[in-house]
């Protein structure tokens, strides 16, 4: 468990917690000045107005300050970007203290939009970075970890580029470390934590930074624990303890600070014990756990951490076979859980109970605890599916161990029975009766154990059947649609090819003949596309085996651009082709790479306005050929970018001239690139055009 989760409530209840929160939000509405000198003068007056508004705002009383902002807004004929930004930031502040996260998030979005609309992101990079950080905080608090990482990263990039103070960079590195930790990317998390410690150490030394630094050391240690680098983790835990002793003493004038420092020490000691348990030093681990419990069991300290640490100690006693100590701690933990519930500790408590009763061979009681354990675990798995998989594997492993132990017990008892047989015929009869009774009891116990295992298997089976059924329906829909489209296209395309072939043999001028040749080649390409669709739908009867060959990608690009020249001309567009300086030989299927060029360039034409240029570029890299297709079209919204390469994606839109999209072209491009061991990706901004990148390996075989 991370330090911040245990100490967060203590820190947030102090006046410093309020100061910290206020400081974060007040950085949003800092001074923004427009290029107009009149705006500069007006903005000074706005600054005084908003500074007075913030200083007099009562977050508890909730005075109607919005009316003052609205009144000021109406009195300004053309509010500057600065005024709008300050007003937006103040609204976000009020909703923050009103605990209205969604409303606050909307205003943070508005603040970002204003900064970008008025081109203030470069000039006021500090304010821009803090606004991005606020957005990241919102996503982190709502559990949208990937989005939180994105905004924290953007904020850190801006902060580094503009050399913003080390405190801001350190806190952003800390946030990225926490996100990476929650994503189980522990090596990355440790790197961010180390960077955060270095940067924050350069800040002003105060109580707030003291608590953050000791927390970072402990979090880095926990990351190394997960990486199974116990010696490194131990070094960081001891650094944290030493830091608490040396730096914490500077703030011990206040009883509250002394409690916070001691609480932190207790948490670190409990986590340090994990490294000794992992290396088998159980006596040292026991002493550390007891010290941690002694600290945080006191009133006013982190009692929830003491409960968690007691659970660790009970598990350690169980490993050592100290049944009495296990029972005592389990009782204490049960009392604490009944007073203040904790689902994570409750789950481990129930697992300990079924292990304990299984060791006593009280299978009915053990089975009851197994069932309650599974029920609680499944409810927690709704929010963490990866944990569900881990628990299943762990539980099956534990049950397998229990069965082995039972078999050993049975074997020993049978040997004992064989010895008693030698006492005589009468003893033999008694022993036989005992064996019958014993086998009867054993069968009942085995049935109970098998019932538990069967429940686990049924849960896994149900999950797999559900997933397979959904995949089957999706696959059937895909095959049906592809077959219909492919068959409907083949006949008219074949007719076009036939007519073109007949006409091209007649006598005519070279320009006309060249145009007919282009029609024929385009028809052939379309017919090849229908065959790809049939292959995609799994219709084996329509497939043809075509060998790969070494081909110059420059020539394929020239051919594709030539075929699409007139299509671009219809929208008064140009296609600018820049080939590589040397032959770009790739080992490929000719028609498929032509289709790749055709699909990407056609999309660029479709989604670009008239009188624009589509740039097609080929470059040779180390071991690969890089192809880029760039346009200045409508771009792709971020929400759609993750779905554009899906088959029959819903992320399809009409072109600038009303051209219809079927959501298949980019999916085929992705399949072609994958078939050639390459990769494809896109960089796009809505309204700012798109650039598609394709990396293909250079020729792998000789011709």
């Amino acid at each position: 468990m991370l330090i911040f989760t245990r100490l967060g409530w203590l820190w947030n209840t102090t006046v410093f917690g309020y100061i910290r929160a206020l400081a974060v939000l007040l950085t949003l509405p800092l001074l923004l000045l427009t290029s107009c000198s009149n705006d500069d003068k007006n903005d000074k007056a706005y600054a005084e107005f908003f500074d007075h508004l913030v200083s007099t705002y009562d977050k508890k009383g909730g005075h109607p300050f919005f009316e003052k902002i609205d009144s000021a807004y109406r009195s300004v004929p053309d509010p500057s970007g600065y005024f709008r930004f300050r007003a937006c930031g103040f609204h976000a502040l009020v909703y923050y203290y009103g605990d209205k996260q969604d409303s606050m998030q909307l205003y943070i979005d508005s603040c970002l939009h204003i900064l970008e609309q008025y081109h203030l992101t470069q000039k006021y990079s500090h304010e821009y970075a803090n606004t991005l950080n606020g957005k990241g905080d919102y996503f982190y608090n709502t559990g949208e970890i990937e989005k939180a990482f994105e905004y924290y990263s953007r904020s850190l990039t801006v902060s580094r580029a503009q050399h913003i103070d080390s405190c801001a960079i350190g806190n952003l590195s800390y946030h990225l470390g926490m996100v990476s930790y929650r994503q189980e990317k522990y090596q990355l998390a440790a790197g961010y934590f180390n960077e955060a410690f270095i940067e924050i150490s350069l800040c002003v030394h105060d109580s707030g930074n003291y608590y953050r630094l000791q927390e970072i050391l402990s979090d880095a240690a926990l990351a190394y624990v997960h990486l199974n680098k116990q010696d490194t983790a131990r070094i960081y835990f001891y650094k944290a303890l030493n830091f608490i002793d040396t730096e914490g003493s500077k703030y011990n004038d206040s009883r509250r600070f002394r409690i916070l420092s001691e609480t932190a020490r207790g948490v670190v000691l409990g986590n340090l014990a994990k490294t000794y348990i992992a290396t088998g030093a159980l006596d040292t681990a026991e002493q550390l756990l007891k010290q941690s419990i002694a600290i945080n069991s006191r009133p006013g300290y982190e009692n929830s951490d003491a409960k968690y640490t007691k659970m660790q100690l009970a598990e350690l006693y169980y490993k050592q076979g100290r049944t009495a100590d296990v029972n005592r701690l389990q009782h204490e933990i049960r009392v604490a859980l009944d007073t203040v519930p904790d689902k994570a500790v409750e789950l481990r408590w129930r697992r300990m109970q079924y292990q304990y009763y299984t060791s006593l061979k009280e299978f009915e009681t053990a089975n009851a605890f197994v069932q309650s354990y599974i029920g609680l675990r499944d409810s927690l798995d709704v929010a963490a599916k990866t944990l569900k998989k881990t628990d299943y594997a762990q539980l099956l492993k534990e049950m397998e161990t229990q069965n082995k132990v039972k078999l050993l017990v049975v074997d020993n008892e049978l040997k004992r029975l064989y010895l008693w047989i030698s006492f005589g015929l009468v003893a033999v009869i008694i022993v036989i009766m005992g064996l019958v009774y014993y086998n009867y009891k054993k069968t009942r116990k085995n049935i109970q154990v098998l019932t538990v295992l069967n429940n686990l298997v049924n849960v896994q089976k149900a999950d797999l059947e559900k997933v397979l059924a959904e995949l089957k329906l999706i696959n059937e829909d895909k095959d049906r649609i592809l077959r219909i489209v492919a068959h409907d296209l083949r006949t008219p395309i074949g007719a076009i090819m036939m007519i073109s072939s007949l006409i091209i043999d007649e006598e005519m001028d070279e320009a006309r003949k060249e145009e007919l040749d282009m029609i024929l080649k385009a028809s052939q390409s379309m017919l090849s596309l229908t065959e790809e669709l049939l292959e995609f739908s799994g219709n084996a009867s329509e497939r043809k085996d075509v060998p790969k060959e070494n081909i110059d990608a420059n020539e394929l690009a020239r051919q594709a651009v030539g075929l699409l020249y007139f299509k671009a001309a219809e929208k008064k567009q140009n296609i600018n082709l820049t080939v590589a300086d040397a032959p770009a030989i790739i080992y490929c299927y000719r028609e498929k790479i032509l289709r790749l060029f055709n699909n990407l360039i056609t999309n660029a034409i479709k989604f670009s306005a008239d009188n624009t240029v589509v740039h097609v570029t080929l470059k040779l890299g180390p071991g690969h050929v890089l192809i880029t297709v760039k346009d200045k079209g409508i771009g792709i919204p971020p929400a759609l970018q993750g779905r554009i390469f899906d088959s029959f994606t819903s992320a399809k839109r009409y072109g600038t001239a009303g051209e219809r999209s079927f959501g298949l072209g980019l999916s085929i491009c992705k399949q072609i690139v994958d078939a050639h061991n390459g990769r494809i990706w896109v960089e796009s901004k809505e309204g700012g055009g798109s650039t598609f990148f394709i990396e293909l390996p250079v020729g792998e075989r000789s011709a």
Side-chain angles (χ1 to χ4, degrees):
M1 181 181 294
L2 292 177
I3 298 297
F4 88 100
T5 59
R6 301 185 181 187
L7 298 181
W9 71 274
L10 285 171
W11 179 238
N12 288 334
T13 55
T14 64
V15 65
F16 297 98
Y18 289 117
I19 293 174
R20 183 177 61 178
L22 182 61
V24 170
L25 285 173
L26 287 183
T27 53
L28 294 176
L30 293 176
L31 294 176
L32 295 176
L33 306 176
T34 64
S35 58
C36 177
S37 60
N38 289 333
D39 283 344
D40 289 344
K41 296 177 181 178
N42 290 335
D43 287 349
K44 291 180 181 179
Y46 299 153
E48 295 177 359
F49 168 73
F50 278 104
D51 289 342
H52 175 73
L53 202 62
V54 171
S55 65
T56 58
Y57 174 67
D58 181 1
K59 57 180 175 290
K60 294 182 179 179
H63 295 309
F65 285 88
F66 290 160
E67 295 181 4
K68 295 183 180 180
I69 295 177
D70 294 339
S71 176
Y73 195 91
R74 288 191 296 269
S75 66
V76 178
D78 186 18
S80 66
Y82 167 77
F83 182 92
R84 297 171 189 270
F85 184 67
R86 287 284 318 242
C88 171
F90 186 78
H91 279 76
L93 175 68
V94 173
Y95 283 122
Y96 169 79
Y97 282 114
D99 197 23
K100 297 179 179 179
Q101 294 293 318
D102 290 337
S103 298
M104 182 192 74
Q105 184 256 350
L106 291 174
Y107 275 100
I108 291 179
D109 285 342
S110 297
C111 291
L112 285 172
H113 178 71
I114 291 170
L115 286 170
E116 294 167 356
Q117 178 185 4
Y118 286 88
H119 308 291
L120 302 174
T121 56
Q122 285 290 104
K123 187 175 182 180
Y124 298 102
S125 55
H126 195 170
E127 292 77 11
Y128 183 49
N130 279 314
T131 309
L132 291 170
N133 184 41
K135 184 75 171 176
D137 286 341
Y138 170 79
F139 284 125
Y140 186 89
N141 293 331
T142 57
E144 298 178 77
I145 302 302
E146 294 292 341
K147 292 183 180 179
F149 190 90
E150 174 192 346
Y151 279 93
Y152 286 146
S153 297
R154 288 173 61 187
S155 180
L156 183 59
T157 300
V158 173
S159 299
R160 284 173 173 167
Q162 301 300 324
H163 305 291
I164 295 175
D165 65 274
S166 59
C167 288
I169 294 175
N171 281 318
L172 286 167
S173 298
Y174 168 76
H175 290 323
L176 288 167
M178 296 307 303
V179 172
S180 300
Y181 191 99
R182 289 185 64 176
Q183 293 175 319
E184 299 183 1
K185 299 175 182 177
Y186 301 114
Q187 190 67 52
L188 186 62
Y192 279 123
F193 287 142
N194 283 319
E195 180 182 0
F197 186 85
I198 293 171
E199 294 292 344
I200 296 177
S201 295
L202 301 175
C203 296
V204 177
H205 288 196
D206 57 18
S207 59
N209 283 336
Y210 155 67
Y211 286 110
R212 175 54 57 85
L213 288 170
Q214 64 84 20
E215 179 181 320
I216 290 171
L217 287 172
S218 297
D219 292 344
L222 285 172
Y224 287 118
V225 168
H226 285 288
L227 292 170
N228 200 26
K229 297 181 179 180
Q230 307 301 336
D231 291 339
T232 305
R234 206 170 292 164
I235 291 172
Y236 276 85
F237 279 131
Y238 280 117
K239 281 184 178 180
L241 291 172
N242 182 64
F243 190 83
I244 292 171
D245 291 338
T246 56
E247 294 297 319
S249 61
K250 299 177 182 179
Y251 309 104
N252 281 345
D253 294 339
S254 167
R255 180 177 181 276
R256 183 185 298 276
F257 288 138
R258 288 197 300 273
I259 290 176
L260 288 172
S261 290
E262 277 297 296
T263 298
R265 168 181 286 279
V267 173
V268 174
L269 290 171
N271 286 327
L272 175 60
K274 295 178 180 178
T275 66
Y276 287 102
I277 293 173
T279 55
L282 301 185
D283 291 339
T284 303
E286 179 182 355
Q287 294 304 316
L288 291 170
L289 292 172
K290 286 181 176 179
Q291 292 176 36
S292 175
I293 293 169
I295 292 173
N296 282 329
S297 292
R298 292 178 287 179
Y301 286 74
E302 184 58 55
N303 299 147
S304 61
D305 178 74
K307 181 167 41 183
Y308 173 84
T309 308
K310 282 184 179 181
M311 194 70 247
Q312 281 186 275
L313 185 58
E315 291 169 345
L316 186 147
Y317 285 154
Y318 181 78
K319 289 182 180 179
Q320 297 176 317
R322 296 163 62 174
T323 305
D325 290 328
V326 172
N327 286 338
R328 174 178 54 80
L329 281 176
Q330 285 288 84
H331 175 72
E332 292 178 6
I333 295 169
R334 181 69 267 163
V335 172
L337 287 172
D338 291 340
T339 304
V340 181
D342 185 319
K343 290 185 178 180
V345 177
E346 177 73 36
L347 188 68
R348 295 173 66 173
W349 185 88
R350 293 183 186 181
R351 184 174 63 183
M352 176 68 71
Q353 287 297 94
Y354 87 68
Q355 290 174 335
Y356 171 73
Y357 283 107
T358 299
S359 68
L360 296 179
K361 301 179 184 179
E362 297 182 18
F363 290 101
E364 291 185 4
T365 305
N367 185 51
F369 277 108
V370 167
Q371 296 298 329
S372 66
Y373 170 79
I374 293 173
L376 178 58
R377 186 206 52 223
D378 289 346
S379 68
L380 294 176
D381 285 348
V382 173
K385 293 183 179 179
T386 54
L387 178 61
K388 179 177 181 180
K389 295 178 181 177
T390 302
D391 284 343
Y392 276 128
Q394 181 65 24
L395 185 57
L396 288 172
K397 183 177 179 181
E398 292 167 355
M399 297 306 297
E400 180 182 358
T401 302
Q402 293 166 17
N403 285 334
K404 289 180 180 179
V405 173
K406 286 175 57 186
L407 290 174
L408 290 174
V409 173
V410 172
D411 184 64
N412 289 332
E413 292 185 354
L414 286 174
K415 290 179 180 179
R416 192 179 299 112
L417 289 173
Y418 293 147
L419 291 175
W420 281 103
I421 293 175
S422 63
F423 286 106
L425 293 176
V426 176
V428 169
I429 296 173
I430 296 174
V431 169
I432 292 173
M433 295 177 62
L435 284 173
V436 171
Y437 178 77
Y438 170 78
N439 288 330
Y440 168 73
K441 295 291 290 183
K442 186 179 72 172
T443 301
R444 290 188 59 188
K445 294 174 183 177
N446 286 338
I447 291 174
Q448 293 170 352
V449 174
L450 289 173
T451 300
V452 174
L453 291 173
N454 188 56
N455 288 339
L456 296 177
V457 172
N458 287 338
V459 171
Q460 290 179 319
K461 180 181 176 183
D463 290 342
L464 288 174
E465 288 177 347
K466 182 179 179 181
V467 172
L468 288 174
E470 292 174 351
L471 289 175
K472 183 178 179 182
L473 289 175
I474 293 171
N475 195 50
E476 289 174 353
D477 288 344
K478 179 264 295 180
D479 289 347
R480 177 175 56 80
I481 294 171
L482 287 181
R483 283 195 291 271
I484 292 171
V485 172
H487 281 291
D488 286 351
L489 286 175
R490 293 183 72 186
T491 299
I493 293 172
I496 293 172
M497 286 181 58
M498 182 181 68
I499 294 171
S500 300
S501 299
L502 293 174
I503 297 176
I504 202 169
D505 293 332
E506 297 178 0
E507 294 184 2
M508 61 186 71
D509 60 79
E510 288 300 321
R512 176 69 68 179
K513 197 166 187 177
E514 183 178 347
E515 291 173 353
L516 285 171
D517 184 59
M518 287 185 180
I519 292 174
L520 180 59
K521 289 180 179 179
S523 301
Q524 291 170 341
S525 179
M526 287 298 294
L527 185 60
S528 184
L529 172 60
T530 62
E531 291 174 353
E532 286 288 345
L533 289 174
L534 288 172
E535 288 183 6
F536 189 74
S537 67
N539 191 335
S541 65
E542 297 293 331
R543 299 184 61 177
K544 294 193 299 183
D545 294 327
V546 179
K548 286 185 177 180
E549 54 185 318
N550 284 326
I551 304 174
D552 186 355
N554 293 330
E555 294 303 320
L556 295 178
R558 290 189 183 100
Q559 185 175 347
V561 170
L563 289 171
L564 294 171
Y565 175 81
F566 291 101
K567 186 176 184 66
E570 292 175 2
K571 298 179 73 171
K572 299 179 181 179
Q573 298 172 347
N574 287 323
I575 303 176
N576 184 5
L577 173 63
T578 304
V579 298
D581 297 334
I585 305 301
I586 56 176
Y587 187 62
C588 67
Y589 298 106
R590 175 186 294 272
E591 292 301 324
K592 289 187 178 182
I593 298 302
L594 278 173
R595 182 163 301 113
L596 174 67
F597 278 114
N598 180 79
N599 287 0
L600 293 176
I601 298 172
T602 299
N603 275 1
I605 294 170
K606 180 189 299 183
F607 295 110
S608 296
D610 293 354
N611 298 305
T612 56
V613 180
V614 175
H615 296 275
V616 181
T617 306
L618 285 81
K619 292 182 180 179
L620 280 172
H624 68 267
V625 177
L626 178 64
I627 303 167
T628 59
V629 179
K630 181 178 181 181
D631 63 64
K632 287 293 183 180
I634 62 176
I636 305 170
L640 299 182
Q641 290 182 19
R643 293 181 281 142
I644 60 173
F645 295 110
D646 295 343
S647 302
F648 302 104
T649 176
S650 59
K652 51 191 177 183
R653 297 175 295 167
Y654 285 97
T656 56
E659 301 97 325
R660 186 177 179 183
S661 174
F662 295 96
L664 187 60
L666 289 178
S667 171
I668 292 176
C669 289
K670 180 71 165 58
Q671 293 182 29
I672 292 172
V673 172
D674 290 344
H676 289 80
N677 299 318
R679 66 189 188 103
I680 181 171
W681 70 97
V682 65
E683 292 179 1
S684 182
K685 182 178 180 182
E686 189 170 9
S690 303
T691 303
F692 284 85
F693 299 86
I694 305 96
E695 249 186 30
L696 296 174
V698 295
E700 297 176 354
R701 302 183 185 177
S702 60

